[in-house]
Amino acid sequence: MLNDGTVRLTFHALRDSQVVHLISGLDEDCPPGGGDAVLSAITGYTEWVSQGQPALTLGWDWQMQAASRVDLRRISAPRSNVRLLNAAGAELGHEQACALLQDFIDGIDWQAQALLYIVARYAPADAASAAGQR
């Protein structure tokens, strides 16, 4: 086992791993508006980790969408210390590994936890308490 910070495992082993929410945040580098009303997008990031050793880390970017309800949608490839292996123990190619990591992420109910964290982190205390009184 190499000691380079990466965790090498099969997709089957990854699926058996439990990951928990670590942090989520809003992107704060949005360009200022030009004065006219424009359609804006609220974007951010979320980071997840496994409990125990070895520590798996997964992160990705999301965009907030509001139709009938507010929802988050993954909009980037994952960032991770995970390197997926095939059954023979060889590392999968980047494209295949990325697709499998995305499948893993899309199978997690991450949106609700990240959204709750975002609201708690960024909502002013008086607005949050007023929302609770309605």
Side-chain angles (χ1 to χ4, degrees), residues 24-31 39-46 60-65 71-76 79 110 118 121-122:
S24 292
L26 297 176
D27 290 334
E28 297 181 15
D29 58 351
C30 298
L39 182 61
S40 65
I42 298 173
T43 59
Y45 60 91
T46 189
W60 57 93
D61 298 327
W62 51 261
Q63 181 177 26
M64 187 176 289
Q65 298 181 315
D71 199 14
L72 304 180
R73 178 178 60 93
R74 184 181 52 76
I75 59 169
S76 74
R79 298 172 298 276
W110 63 268
I118 292 296
R121 181 175 177 187
Y122 292 98

Side-chain angles (χ1 to χ4, degrees), residues 17-24 46-52 56-60 104 108-110 113-114 117:
S17 302
Q18 295 284 327
V19 293
V20 296
H21 182 256
L22 177 65
I23 190 169
S24 292
T46 189
E47 302 289 334
W48 292 66
V49 297
S50 64
Q51 296 180 319
L56 310 178
T57 64
L58 291 162
W60 57 93
F104 176 76
I108 300 170
D109 183 24
W110 63 268
Q113 290 182 56
Y117 188 91

